[in-house]
Each structure stands twice: as structure tokens, then as C-alpha cells.
Amino acid sequence: MDLSFILIQALNGLASASSLFITACGLTLVFGVTRIVNFAHGSLYMVGAYTAATLVPRLLEMSYGPATFWAGIVLSALVVGLIGILLEILLLRRIYRAPELFQLLATFGVVLVFQDLVVQIFGPQDILGPRAPGLRQPIEILGRRFPSYELALIIAGPIVLGAVWLLLRRTRFGILVRAATQDRDMVAALGVNQALLFTGTLFCGAFLAGLGGALQIPRVAANTGMDLSVIAECFVVTVVGGMGSVPGAFLAALIIGQLQAFGILIFPKSTLVVVFLLMALVLAIRPNGFFGRPEATGGSHVVGIASRAPVRSGPLLMIAVLVVLAALPLIADPYLLKVATEILILALFAFSLQLLIGVGGLVSFGHAAFFGLGAYGAALAVKWLEASMFVAVPSGLLLAGAGGALIGAFLVRLSGIYLAMMTLAAAQILYAVAFQWVDVTGGDNGIIGVWPPAWAGPRAIYYLLTLAVTAIALFGLTRLIDAPFGYALRAARDSEPRAESIGLAVRRHRWLAFVAAGAGAGLAGALYAFSRGSVDPSLLGIPTSVDALTMLLLGGIQALTGPLAGAAVLHALRDWIMPLTPFWRLLLGLSIITMVLIFPRGLVGTVFHGREERA
Amino acid sequence: MAKTSMTRWLALGLGLALAAPTVQAQQAPIRIGELNSYSKWAAFTVPYRQGWQLAVDEINAMGGVLGRKIEIISRDDGATTGDATRVAEELVTREGVSFLFGSFLSNVGVAMADYANQKKILYIAAEPLTDAITMAQGNRYTFRVRPSNFMQVGMLVDQAKASGAKRWAIVAPNYEYGQSAAEVFKRLIKERVPGAEIVAEQYPALGKIEAGATVSAIEQAKPDGIFNVTFGPDLTQFVREGNSRGLFEGKTVLSLLTGEPEWLLPLKDEIPEGWTVTGYPWDEIKDPKHKAFVDTYRAKYNDTPRLGSLLGYVVVNMIRDTIERAGSVETEALVKALEDAKFDTVIGPVTMRGLDNQSTMGAWVGKLVLKGATGGMTEWKYNDGASFMPSEAEVKATRKD
Amino acid sequence: MTLLEAKGLRKAFGGVVAARDVSLTVERGEMVALIGPNGAGKSTVFNMIGGQLRADAGSVLLDGVAITDATPQDRFRKGIGRTFQVAQAFLSMTVLENIQMALISRHREALRLWTPARERYREDALQLLAQVGMEGTANRSCAELAYGDVKRVELAIALAGDPKLILMDEPTAGMAPAERSALMELTDTMTRSRRLGVLFTEHDMDVVFGHADRVLVLLGGQIIASGPPEEIRRNPKVREAYLGDTHGLRPLLTSSP
């Protein structure tokens, strides 16, 4: 490995780092002021790329030259900045005081909306932008050719850093942004026009996201997968750098860029894992990243289930429901049975998340990790050990429980937004492992041939098996929640100092909650694998986690039975609507946003609340 | 030109419809399930859908098959194995389709093959190219129309012999299709080019290539030949980055599928000239039947055909013939009718080899060249798939059934 | 034996010394008040004894046993109960369940997974509630209670651990005057009848001089005076210390006889 090669590789890393920093810088600015982790930041980046890839060629036709090109880039970023203003006015300003969970979900709803809108507006084709005039020729470095546009990118990063620094230090707006980043309430007390400050910040954040996207067009074709891939990297950058810290983001982007450039040589197939492992490592040593400060927030996430008087007719009602469900195969066609099987499985999945969020107050944004572990545990047992279903399903449960133990051990030290980010990172690490450890997991291909034995193959039989297993698991989890263990978990959620001062080992309880929730989700994942015969990395992906959260939100996190109803409603709706419209994601996204804004109690919660109000 | 051809087809259709004895138009249509990655891989699949839609319209205009119309119920497979089998299950159990065809990504194709085998339902893989579908994971319910990786790579490697390149680098997406293509390339280049060695292998994740770093890493190994399997956005970035850094200068480059219009068009004027590719020079194929197809397609959609368009058109016509010969839409009858069946298609005769359920459809191999503002193929030649298929002994050794 | 003994406690944050060489004792059946102007280090000292902060130097002994580095959980088991400046109770539970939770923890049953928590130690919990005069609200949600009542529940929670010592951080902050004296009367009774030791901080000088057996005055992280209320009231050093602290000054002067 000679010097020129190392130099070129380092320059490659710098170019990636620069692009990443420009985008992540916007995310961290917005977080600093609004305390909202804006999931839709990646969508703004994507819109920036599409806008520039469409706009710049038209401009170049009118007048070809470097000035036109760069003007087009900035113009595209400005367009995205305006979208940011709309986003702030229409959505964000309504949820500044909402629990973190709702903020994350609402902005993820925006991600879904943008995914469909971008296809509608720009078409399904990937769009490759033109090359930058004046930068078409490569330059020679130590006998190797290096694209001059990459050099321009390397310079762009520090320019943006400098500009942001000037903005923050030399303008009144910047001083307010810094003050708000330090202490939001203080700014409120100063009598500053907060609405204007927040709108302005969103404009800056969105402008930077759009700029980051627009700068990509000569090297990357604008495509519909850009949003999630860049947002995952931006999360890593902002978390590693310290949420809200611009210099931290710069440093983190530099490290990650080099890690990717050289990682590709050492681990050609595991670049994704390396990046997320870095994040886990940094958070383990410095729970607030390089330059982050501990979050003084807290309290805002205390929403969840409360004690309720035991209903005398409860057990009878449960048995009646079970009997009805068990009789379903008598009347239902195979398709309905398949849907019912999946609803049962997803209900268990969502309910296990309820244990963490509703009971423990632990906002997990990566619950797919455990669902996927369960599914992969079962599938790997089938693939490598030729295990039968009765061995494979418990293997999935065990693997997910062990995963819960390992991940939980990292997580119990964190709280609030860092906890949510870390759960997301954990799920992404597992996603990356499943995706890139091809020899074991089959990578993108997944594992196929995960079928139940012949006698359990008919849909009615598998449905009844699933019903039995989920009913037992749900009963067990409910007991757990009503038992001292669940109460202690809730005690720690309600008031951590109080819980500690009555001798509760808060961290141990939380750790065990991760084990139990992991095992529950894992059981669901294993059943899911056998119901459809295969597993693939998407089971571990962000959308799977969001599905679970949506079910929870739909049912209501204040109601114990909420997730069960949520799973039924979401899955039935999806099944009914998805074949009818190409706008499923748009509808889902809008529904999530609507629920956060209008029915934060969820369906079951709203019904009960309405009943109490009348009483 | 286009207009006369349309009229001719319409006249033909009308004539056949009138000639058919007491058309049983009242009979319920034959329902066929189709699934593909329409949102994630629109560049290929949307033209493909237009292709099969054209065939369906023509067939139904002529009275359908077995006196029944054909109705295709199409779904998005989400480009993941899980979504695909979920959608397949929906098509079979709720929509009651008689059999399934379609899908784009190879991993999805393999999962579909497994599904077909488990549920004992016919599945015709249209696009997925991995060898596994007809070899290791092959089963009697799964058939493939396009030439497999083994066949297409075989065609390319034959071209490589003359170049004299010995030090080869591979760049392939890290999933079933890329892995399968890389594996068969490694095997064939060593078998057929004495002294050939692999000096670098890069496997970027599908859709996530870090083009700069990938190009540097290949450059570092100083290969004199490159075998490329990337396609779509990955390909575009790889080519642009490689062009910038002069990676392809003085090297022999073999590339799968790059000559297909769906992947050529996004490259615009940055076509890497001189690459040896498999592809589809649709505007230069002179055969009248093919020309008629192109004209009808252009007239109907006001767009030029992609390879996907051709494939969709060919597959549905093969399905029509199969149903007619089977005399029913029962799975067993269809499977029997497909095995060793001969079809007369717009690109010539194609046989569905019963040994491995792989069709003998071939591919066009040629060199990339810039034609005006976009790319095309030159010095091309159609290779019949029959002479590139795996041997009987190899098939028997690999297939489990 | 002395119930609580703190010796030479020291704590610095960065370069700022918040407590230096703080020593104090609390005996059984004794109520000790820790007073001082804002920023004198009351909370720091309090949290070092409660286990929320770790002391840089010095030691804390309970019944002669060192608990300097013990966690809050350990201190609870060794017999320290506490209440917080802003009342901390489990608002999603009923009043009774709050007490039951503390009893469950005391009996080390918090990890049990099967029997419903609401069936454990009902009688004991009801008894404790009766002692603080809250038995009528047992089945109401804690979130519905008036603030003064939450403070009473907190006291019952602290008592559920069967403590020898109770730490009360500004027990009457945020309460109406009538509620204040009621709560302190209750505490007074408990202390005498159960022979508990109580260490409390307080801003309200009526409460301090009305209920404390001894008063400690903290200034600049150091104890500058200690003794019975009458003595403290007359101490010139204390009067001087409170000059300039408008918050503490008035009550100290006006409540003199």
C-alpha cells in the first residue's frame, strides 16, 4: 500500500466527510434549538438532490458555466429551506412540548409522506445531475487522478463550518440560537419572539440539508432510498459529536469519513457495521458524545399506563374472546386466517414494546432489533442446525432475550433522546450485521425455507398454534406488568429518585425489562418467520420499528390493551388499503401525524377517556 | 409506419376474433398473479409492465385463450423477500390466481421459487438472473425465461479470451445476483482463459456504493480487466467516478446488462465506450416480427422499448401458449405443458428446457458506443442461449429434485 | 449510640467548594434542622447523607456503621427514609399502591413476577396511611391528590421502610400555612412515638423554631453554629450571616420573641 494510494483514500474520506457534515450540521442545529430529532431531515436532503438534479440541467441549457451551476445548487437549497419553514409552521411548532416519542414518530410520518410525494413529483427514475462546469477534468495527485469536484466538496465542508460559525457568533440570530441551545427556557424568559427564532432555525437546518443533497448530484444519482440512508449516518454524526454541537458534528463526520474510506479496504463488506459500532463505542465511553452536554430534560416522556381497578368480568371476557378467536377457522377463508395469524403476531410484538414504553417509560426506537433477532434466531437454527419448528422458535426467543440482555446493559445508563437514539443504533447495527455478514445470514438474500412441519402447514393449524402461543405469552406479560416487577418498573418511570430511595434497583429492573421485552418480541419474530417461510434484513429495519410504535400509538400508550387493538387496526387497514392505492405510505404518514396531533391517547385510550369524561 | 403496423395487428385480431367459433365471452377470465418491484426498481419494471400489458391487450382482443380472457392481477413486491412472499400469498389465497410470474431482484426470485415449491404453485421467474433459481434452489414449479448468469457470463467470458487480459477485478452488488455472477465469473474465467487470476473483489451493498473508495480500491490492484455486475444508481456512480479517475483506460471491461436501455439511458453522454456488455440494441434488430413489436409498443406508449418491455411481452405470450397447450390452468397440467415446450417469440424460437426449467432465450452481446447524446451498442450479435446452458451432468449434480 | 454521625464531609464541583469539613450528629427521637441562606450548601450536605451525591472526603455513619459510599438503595435498607423538596410519589398508582410498593421493596419482593402487586401488604399499607391520616384516600389515584396530601403520602412511604432516620428536604415547601403546621405536627408525633431521628432543611423559620430540637447553621459550605433554637436565635454570628440574605433575614429577625 503506497503513499499515493493512502493519500487518495484519505481524500475520498474527506470528500464524504464534508458532504456528511453539511447535512448533519443542519440536523444538530435544529436539535439544539427545538430539542426535536427531525427524522425528516433525510427527506429534505433527498428533495434537495432531486430539485438540483432537475433544476440545474435546465439552468445550464440557458447559460452554461460554473456560475450557473453553483447558483442552481444554492437555489435548490433555498427551495428546501422554504420547505423547512412550512414544516415548522405546519407541524413542528405544534409538538415542541410533546413527549419525545411523539416527536420522533411525527417527523417519521413526514418521511413517509415525502417518499410518495417525491415519486409523484420527480418520477420513479433515478436522476443523475450534470457534471460541474469547470470541474470535469480530474487533477493529478502523486501520479494518480483525482476528481476535481471531490476537491471542491472537501473545501465546501470547512466553508460551511466557517459560515455557520460566523452566523452563530456575529449575528443576533446566532446568539439567540446559541442561547436556546444552552437553555431553552432562558430564551423564553428574555421575551424573544420564539416563533421567529424557531422558524429561522428550521430554515437554516433545511437549507443545509438541501445543500448537502444538491451538492451530491454530480456524483450520486438522486434516488428514493437517499433519505433513510443519509438520516442514519446523520444520526451517528450528531450523536457521536454530541447533540446540538456543530464542531462535534464536524469532528465526528471527519472520523466517520476516514473510517469508511479505509474500512472498505480492511472490511470490504462491513462498512455499515463499523460506523454504528463506533457510535456504540463512543456512547459507552461518553454517554453524551464528544461535545454534548447531559440533557436536562426528562419528565416529558412520562406518559404510559396507570393502575386500573381489576374488572370482575375481565377473565370471563378474555375467555370469551379466546373462544371466538379459536372458532375463526370454522368460518374464515385461508386468506383471512393468514391475516389473523399476522395480527396475533404483531399484537405480541407491539405488546412487548408496551412493556418498555408504556410501563417502563423507556422510549425504544429500535424494537425491530428484537423482532428481527427472534426471526433470525429461528431461521438460523433451521438453516444451520436443521432444527424443527419446536426447537427453532425457542431458539429465536432465546437469541432475542440474550440480545435484550446485551443491548439493555448498554442502554440502562442512558435516558431520554440518547436512549432512543441508542436503541435505533442497536437495531441498525443488527441490520448491518444481517445485511453484510453474508456467509451466515445470507445478507440481502435472507434465509428461505423456514417452513413449519407438514402437519402444521395448513393455515388453520398454524393459526391455532399462533393463537395458543401468543395468548400464553400475552397472559404472561400481563401478569408481569401487574406483578411487583411491573409495578417497580412503573415506579422508576414515575419518579426515579423516589424509586431509588425506597430501595428499588432501578437499573436492574430496566435491564430485566429489556430482556423480557426482547424475548417477547423475539417470540413474535420467530412465529413470523415460520408464517411466511423466510427472513430478510428488512425485519430489522427502521420501518419495522416504526410499525410497532405506530401500533402502540394507534391503540394508545395509556391503555394496556392498546397495542393489541393497534396491531389489529393497522394490519387490517394495511391489508385492505395497500393493494388499492400507490399512496399507502402517504396515507400512513398523514395518519401518524394526525394521531400525534389530534388523538395522542390512541384509539383505546380515547374511548376510555371519553367514557370517563362522561361519567 | 407505426400506424400501418397497428392497423395490421388490429385487422389480424379482428379476423381471428370473428373466425373463432362461438366465442365464450361470458366465461370468467383466467386470473394470473404478477408481482414486481414497481416502486423500488421502476426503471426496469414500469416498461416491463407496459410490455406485458401490451401482450394481454392483444391476446384478449383476439378472444383470449381457451375462450377466456386473461386478467393479470399485479402487485408491488416491495423488493424484499418477505414482502414478495406475503404478496404472493395474498394473490393466491385472496385473489385466487392460478399461478404467478414476475419479480426483479434475484434474492426475491429465490424466495419466490422456495414459496412455489412449498405451496406447489407454478411460478415463472421473468427477470431474476441468479443461477440458484434453476440450479441449487431449482424445483419443478419454478421456471425462468431470461438467460441465467451462467449463460450471460459465459457469453462475456468468450469475448474476454481475445483481449488477453489476465489480471481481473470484480465489482458486484453484495446480494444474490452479484454474488452469483461473481462466482460464475471466477469459475469460467479460470476455466476458459489460461493464467487468469482475480486480483481485486469489491462488493458494495446494493444501492449504497461508495464509488470513490471502490474505484480507488480497484485501481490499487492494477488489474488489466474489470468485470462489472453493478446496475442502476450504483452503476451510474461507478461509471462517473471511474471515468473521472481514468480507471477504464486501457483495460478490458466486461459488464452484465449495461447495454440494456434501462441502464444506459441514465448514463446519458457518459457512456464508457468500449465496454463489452450484454444488452438490447432494440433499434437495430431488423427481424420483421421484432420490428412490429417495437412499432406497436412505441405507438401505444409513445416511448422507446427497454429490455423489460420485450421481456414482459415475451413472457405473457409464452404463458398464453402454455395455457392453450395445457388445456387448463391446473398447476400439474401447466408444469407438464412448460417442460421442453417450444415457443415462437418475436425474437425467434425459444425452448423451455425441462432438465432445469431454464429457457433458451439468448442475449445480445456487443460493445458500448456513444451515439449522439446517449449510448448504444455496436458490433453486436445475438447469442442463442441454447449453446451456453450448463451441461446435463452439472444440472443433475446441483439440483436437489 | 449516636444514630447519624457525619464527619468532615467535603464536596467540590469543579473549583467551587460546596461543603467543607461538615460534621453533624442526629440522635434518636431528635429533630435537627439544617438552615442557611441560599447557596450555603444545604442540598449538597443533604444529598451526601442521602446517597445521591458521593462525598470527596469524610464519612457518614449510621448506628456506628459507615455508609459513606452506600447507594440510596442500601441506605434505605439500613434504615434511612427520605422525602424530597418537590414531592416525589408514583403518580400513576393509587395512594395505597404507593405504600404497597415501598413495602414490597422493603421485603425484597420487587422482582416477583406472578402475584399481583395490589394484593401484597394491603393491611400494613392501610395502617401506615391511617397513621398519616390518609386512609380515606387509599383507592384514589395519587395524581388527583392536593399537594399537601402528596407530602403526607411521601411521609408514609418513608415510614414504610421502617426507618430509624428520616431525611426531609424542605418538607413544607410549596404548602399552604395550615398544611405546614399539620404536617410538622404529624412528623413531631411520629418522631417522639417511634423514637426516630429526623434531619430536615427548611426555609420557614416558624417551622424551624417551632419543631427543631437542635439547629445547625450552614454558611459557605461550613457549619458556623449549632445548638438549641433559642441559642441560635441569639447567636451574633448567625445574625451577621443572615444579613444580606434578604430571603433568610426577615423571618429570623421577626420571629424573635
Side-chain angles (χ1 to χ4, degrees):
Chain A
M1 208 179 285
D2 56 293
L3 186 66
S4 67
F5 176 67
I6 291 175
L7 182 70
I8 291 285
Q9 211 63 1
L11 287 175
N12 280 333
L14 282 179
S16 309
S18 232
S19 321
L20 192 53
F21 163 70
I22 293 170
T23 312
C25 173
L27 184 69
T28 214
L29 270 182
V30 170
F31 174 81
V33 173
T34 66
R35 286 294 183 276
I36 287 183
V37 175
N38 182 13
F39 235 115
H41 199 72
S43 308
L44 297 170
Y45 168 90
M46 175 167 78
V47 173
Y50 268 100
T51 309
T54 316
L55 185 69
V56 172
R58 309 248 155 97
L59 294 178
L60 285 178
E61 269 170 31
M62 285 188 264
S63 141
Y64 187 87
T68 318
F69 177 86
W70 294 106
I73 297 287
V74 173
L75 199 60
S76 309
L78 282 173
V79 170
V80 179
L82 294 179
I83 297 176
I85 291 182
L86 278 182
L87 188 65
E88 202 275 339
I89 292 174
L90 293 179
L91 175 65
L92 296 188
R93 72 169 48 166
R94 290 162 218 281
I95 56 171
Y96 287 136
R97 296 282 171 193
E100 290 137 1
L101 170 65
F102 288 4
Q103 296 173 341
L104 277 170
L105 266 176
T107 54
F108 191 81
V110 177
V111 171
L112 293 171
V113 170
F114 271 108
Q115 283 181 340
D116 274 354
L117 284 184
V118 159
V119 174
Q120 284 309 308
I121 295 169
F122 296 100
Q125 293 270 14
D126 300 328
I127 308 175
L128 184 68
R131 294 219 197 181
L135 294 172
R136 291 185 72 114
Q137 295 306 316
I139 56 158
E140 195 120 327
I141 298 173
L142 295 182
R144 284 170 191 269
R145 272 188 264 178
F146 189 73
S148 37
Y149 188 75
E150 303 280 299
L151 277 186
L153 273 185
I154 292 177
I155 299 163
I159 289 179
V160 168
L161 179 66
V164 171
W165 189 84
L166 280 178
L167 180 78
L168 291 181
R169 300 276 155 176
R170 292 281 184 271
T171 66
R172 180 172 154 71
F173 172 74
I175 291 166
L176 288 176
V177 166
R178 279 193 297 142
T181 306
Q182 302 259 317
D183 184 350
R184 185 163 69 174
D185 295 327
M186 189 182 81
V187 179
L190 286 176
V192 173
N193 183 345
Q194 275 208 70
L196 211 58
L197 172 66
F198 283 28
T199 311
T201 309
L202 248 292
F203 172 79
C204 288
F207 176 84
L208 287 170
L211 186 64
L215 284 171
Q216 297 302 309
I217 59 161
R219 59 205 292 262
V220 181
N223 65 77
T224 50
M226 295 175 100
D227 50 353
L228 283 186
S229 64
V230 81
I231 195 68
E233 287 187 13
C234 282
F235 279 164
V236 176
V237 169
T238 47
V239 167
V240 167
M243 311 278 297
S245 162
V246 174
F250 189 73
L251 183 62
L254 279 184
I255 293 176
I256 286 163
Q258 295 305 324
L259 207 60
Q260 278 174 335
F262 289 98
I264 204 171
L265 305 174
I266 306 160
F267 316 102
K269 295 180 181 179
S270 45
T271 44
L272 293 173
V273 185
V274 171
V275 169
F276 284 106
L277 276 182
L278 170 80
M279 169 166 165
L281 188 73
V282 170
L283 279 196
I285 299 167
R286 295 184 65 94
N288 299 306
F290 291 149
F291 301 127
R293 291 171 308 115
E295 274 302 300
T297 56
S300 74
H301 58 266
V302 186
V303 285
I305 63 168
S307 298
R308 71 246 179 275
V311 188
R312 182 135 346 126
S313 55
L316 269 179
L317 198 68
M318 284 300 149
I319 291 171
V321 169
L322 263 182
V323 169
V324 170
L325 287 178
L328 195 63
L330 297 177
I331 52 159
D333 62 29
Y335 185 70
L336 195 63
L337 280 180
K338 185 194 85 90
V339 174
T341 307
E342 284 173 358
I343 287 179
L344 286 173
I345 292 169
L346 294 175
L348 175 58
F349 178 37
F351 197 80
S352 69
L353 183 60
Q354 178 75 311
L355 178 66
L356 286 182
I357 294 183
V359 178
L362 304 163
V363 175
S364 163
F365 221 82
H367 208 50
F370 307 118
F371 189 70
L373 272 179
Y376 268 93
L380 289 170
V382 170
K383 180 178 174 187
W384 295 107
L385 310 173
E386 286 167 21
S388 78
M389 185 170 83
F390 296 97
V391 178
V393 170
S395 315
L397 181 144
L398 283 179
L399 185 66
L406 184 68
I407 295 169
F410 273 95
L411 290 172
V412 290
R413 301 181 337 120
L414 307 172
S415 66
I417 202 70
Y418 281 93
L419 180 87
M421 290 289 97
M422 190 68 176
T423 52
L424 187 78
Q428 287 291 302
I429 290 174
L430 288 173
Y431 173 82
V433 169
F435 188 64
Q436 295 191 315
W437 197 9
V438 177
D439 295 339
V440 172
T441 64
D444 223 353
N445 310 332
I447 299 170
I448 56 170
V450 190
W451 297 106
W455 66 265
R459 288 173 188 93
I461 306 282
Y462 194 76
Y463 166 77
L464 289 174
L465 268 178
T466 309
L467 179 63
V469 173
T470 46
I472 292 169
L474 288 175
F475 180 66
L477 283 174
T478 316
R479 291 296 295 220
L480 209 71
I481 291 171
D482 280 341
F485 173 73
Y487 266 67
L489 210 50
R490 240 169 70 203
R493 175 201 75 193
D494 284 358
S495 166
E496 197 167 332
R498 170 48 73 209
E500 285 184 338
S501 69
I502 61 164
L504 293 174
V506 170
R507 282 189 185 174
R508 192 196 302 158
H509 273 88
R510 290 188 172 154
W511 179 72
L512 285 170
F514 272 104
V515 178
L523 180 60
L527 290 171
Y528 196 61
F530 276 100
S531 88
R532 60 174 210 174
S534 67
V535 299
D536 66 78
S538 72
L539 292 178
L540 289 152
I542 296 174
T544 307
S545 293
V546 170
D547 270 357
L549 287 165
T550 309
M551 290 173 208
L552 215 60
L553 184 67
L554 200 57
I557 46 179
Q558 274 108 331
L560 195 58
T561 47
L564 309 183
V569 172
L570 180 69
H571 197 65
L573 275 184
R574 187 196 329 249
D575 226 79
W576 176 49
I577 295 177
M578 213 150 104
L580 301 181
T581 166
F583 296 112
W584 164 249
R585 284 178 297 189
L586 184 88
L587 288 174
L588 180 65
L590 288 177
S591 322
I592 291 177
I593 295 168
T594 313
M595 277 190 296
V596 168
L597 291 180
I598 302 173
F599 299 114
R601 289 170 182 279
L603 294 178
V604 177
T606 305
V607 170
F608 277 119
H609 188 68
R611 203 183 286 163
E612 272 167 32
E613 293 279 277
R614 280 193 301 278
Chain B
M1 177 70 186
K3 209 171 165 198
T4 53
S5 150
M6 250 322 242
T7 336
R8 205 176 65 201
W9 276 104
L10 282 177
L12 185 63
L14 199 66
L16 282 175
L18 288 176
T22 56
V23 181
Q24 296 158 293
Q26 307 314 320
Q27 269 206 345
I30 293 171
R31 291 165 74 82
I32 303 171
E34 197 278 341
L35 64 168
N36 228 313
S37 310
Y38 291 110
S39 53
K40 289 253 173 67
W41 292 99
F44 181 91
T45 52
V46 170
Y48 158 87
R49 177 163 58 196
Q50 292 176 351
W52 63 248
Q53 193 63 55
L54 176 63
V56 170
D57 291 351
E58 286 178 5
I59 290 165
N60 284 342
M62 289 187 284
V65 59
L66 303 180
R68 296 162 71 184
K69 303 257 185 210
I70 286 179
E71 185 188 352
I72 293 188
I73 296 122
S74 174
R75 294 278 188 271
D76 198 304
D77 70 10
T80 64
T81 55
D83 280 359
T85 50
R86 189 173 59 76
V87 165
E89 181 85 349
E90 190 231 305
L91 286 169
V92 172
T93 56
R94 181 156 73 173
E95 301 295 343
V97 301
S98 304
F99 61 95
L100 299 162
F101 74 103
S103 89
F104 173 77
L105 293 177
S106 280
N107 53 341
V108 175
V110 172
M112 282 301 301
D114 180 56
Y115 173 85
N117 194 34
Q118 177 73 17
K119 304 285 179 186
K120 310 217 176 323
I121 186 157
L122 173 64
Y123 165 58
I124 300 171
E127 164 69 6
L129 298 183
T130 178
D131 294 323
I133 288 176
T134 48
M135 300 289 278
Q137 297 287 339
N139 57 67
R140 69 186 294 263
Y141 300 99
T142 304
F143 293 80
R144 191 220 325 262
V145 177
R146 281 202 76 181
S148 68
N149 271 339
F150 182 85
M151 295 156 73
Q152 298 205 39
V153 172
M155 296 171 195
L156 287 177
V157 168
D158 280 0
Q159 303 290 312
K161 279 188 223 165
S163 73
K166 293 277 194 290
R167 296 170 53 81
W168 285 90
I170 297 175
V171 54
N174 197 11
Y175 81 108
E176 181 65 33
Y177 165 59
Q179 293 152 6
S180 152
E183 196 182 321
V184 69
F185 176 79
K186 281 195 237 176
R187 191 183 121 198
L188 293 183
I189 197 85
K190 283 174 191 159
E191 276 175 18
R192 299 187 191 171
V193 181
E197 56 175 332
I198 307 294
V199 295
E201 295 172 68
Q202 283 290 320
Y203 297 97
L206 177 64
K208 297 193 173 73
I209 194 170
E210 282 275 328
T214 305
V215 166
S216 295
I218 293 177
E219 210 173 22
Q220 172 68 5
K222 300 193 171 45
D224 48 19
I226 297 171
F227 175 63
N228 167 61
V229 196
T230 64
F231 61 99
D234 289 339
L235 172 74
T236 316
Q237 291 169 54
F238 178 63
V239 166
R240 186 170 274 191
E241 206 63 43
N243 278 343
S244 296
R245 298 176 195 233
L247 175 67
F248 309 127
E249 285 166 22
K251 297 191 180 70
T252 307
V253 182
L254 304 181
S255 187
L256 274 176
L257 311 187
T258 311
E260 294 171 4
E262 35 270 79
W263 314 126
L264 270 185
L265 288 173
L267 285 169
K268 296 182 185 149
D269 61 345
E270 296 201 47
I271 298 300
E273 289 197 278
W275 280 23
T276 305
V277 297
T278 60
Y280 178 39
W282 60 274
D283 49 341
E284 297 183 7
I285 299 170
K286 298 292 179 227
D287 179 82
K289 270 204 288 188
H290 180 267
K291 236 169 141 31
F293 156 72
V294 170
D295 293 340
T296 322
Y297 185 90
R298 297 188 71 167
K300 185 171 167 101
Y301 296 110
N302 195 25
D303 196 2
T304 57
R306 317 289 203 266
L307 181 71
S309 320
L310 174 72
L311 186 69
Y313 186 79
V314 168
V315 168
V316 168
N317 275 303
M318 286 168 76
I319 284 172
R320 194 209 81 92
D321 293 354
T322 307
I323 295 174
E324 190 168 57
R325 291 169 197 167
S328 89
V329 286
E330 294 306 316
T331 304
E332 282 305 315
L334 289 169
V335 168
K336 292 220 170 66
L338 267 170
E339 282 169 356
D340 292 315
K342 291 187 173 26
F343 300 92
D344 189 22
T345 74
V346 289
I347 55 165
V350 168
T351 305
M352 183 59 78
R353 188 163 83 161
L355 179 67
D356 53 358
N357 293 357
Q358 168 69 52
S359 99
T360 62
M361 185 180 186
W364 291 267
V365 176
K367 281 193 164 35
L368 288 183
V369 67
L370 190 61
K371 295 176 176 171
T374 142
M377 285 168 75
T378 182
E379 299 170 34
W380 57 265
K381 169 174 173 272
Y382 179 73
N383 291 332
D384 192 328
S387 35
F388 291 90
M389 295 171 92
S391 72
E392 186 173 343
E394 192 182 339
V395 171
K396 287 197 166 142
T398 319
R399 273 178 78 105
K400 290 173 196 147
D401 60 353
Chain C
M1 188 186 288
T2 302
L3 176 61
L4 173 76
E5 185 173 13
K7 289 191 288 196
L9 289 180
R10 180 191 162 83
K11 182 77 193 176
F13 298 103
V16 184
V17 180
R20 73 179 85 223
D21 198 24
V22 173
S23 300
L24 57 86
T25 60
V26 179
E27 302 293 339
R28 287 175 192 278
E30 185 188 36
M31 285 179 76
V32 178
L34 183 64
I35 66 167
N38 282 335
K42 297 192 298 288
S43 292
T44 307
V45 171
F46 217 73
N47 286 333
M48 282 191 286
I49 296 172
Q52 280 78 19
L53 274 181
R54 176 163 294 194
D56 294 341
S59 59
V60 182
L61 306 176
L62 187 73
D63 272 339
V65 180
I67 54 164
T68 317
D69 295 322
T71 59
Q73 286 92 335
D74 282 343
R75 286 175 212 233
F76 167 80
R77 304 221 176 277
K78 293 194 160 78
I80 298 182
R82 76 166 289 179
T83 66
F84 292 84
Q85 190 172 346
V86 176
Q88 298 284 330
F90 308 130
L91 297 182
S92 74
M93 302 182 192
T94 66
V95 171
L96 188 65
E97 285 169 347
N98 266 271
I99 318 300
Q100 285 174 298
M101 191 67 245
L103 288 167
I104 286 168
S105 174
R106 174 179 150 202
H107 291 97
R108 298 179 181 275
E109 291 176 3
L111 283 174
R112 295 221 177 164
L113 305 176
W114 201 248
T115 346
R118 72 177 76 84
E119 289 168 16
R120 320 283 310 167
Y121 307 109
R122 275 184 73 90
E123 295 309 313
D124 297 4
L126 279 167
Q127 239 170 25
L128 280 163
L129 279 180
Q131 286 181 25
V132 298
M134 294 288 293
E135 68 272 36
T137 59
N139 290 319
R140 285 177 60 191
S141 165
C142 209
E144 299 168 6
L145 295 187
Y147 189 66
D149 287 344
V150 180
K151 289 263 184 181
R152 280 168 182 263
V153 173
E154 244 201 322
L155 187 60
I157 294 175
L159 290 174
D162 194 17
K164 306 175 209 168
L165 173 74
I166 297 187
L167 305 173
M168 301 176 88
D169 198 0
E170 306 215 9
T172 67
M175 292 173 86
E179 284 180 333
R180 290 183 185 197
S181 59
L183 182 74
M184 289 318 288
E185 286 301 331
L186 180 64
T187 313
D188 224 330
T189 324
M190 293 286 153
T191 315
R192 314 298 167 206
S193 64
R194 292 187 166 217
R195 303 266 311 142
L196 301 174
V198 173
L199 176 69
F200 68 105
T201 65
E202 187 54 67
H203 268 304
D204 184 333
M205 291 304 147
D206 290 337
V207 169
V208 172
F209 295 117
H211 296 277
D213 298 307
R214 255 181 330 119
V215 179
L216 308 169
V217 184
L218 202 60
L219 183 70
Q222 275 174 306
I223 293 187
I224 57 161
S226 90
E230 284 314 304
E231 204 180 301
I232 293 298
R233 214 194 291 260
R234 284 192 298 270
N235 186 326
K237 255 166 73 185
V238 177
R239 291 188 157 241
E240 191 188 331
Y242 267 75
L243 283 174
D245 181 89
T246 49
H247 181 82
L249 178 71
R250 207 173 32 81
L252 189 69
L253 298 179
T254 52
S255 61
S256 47

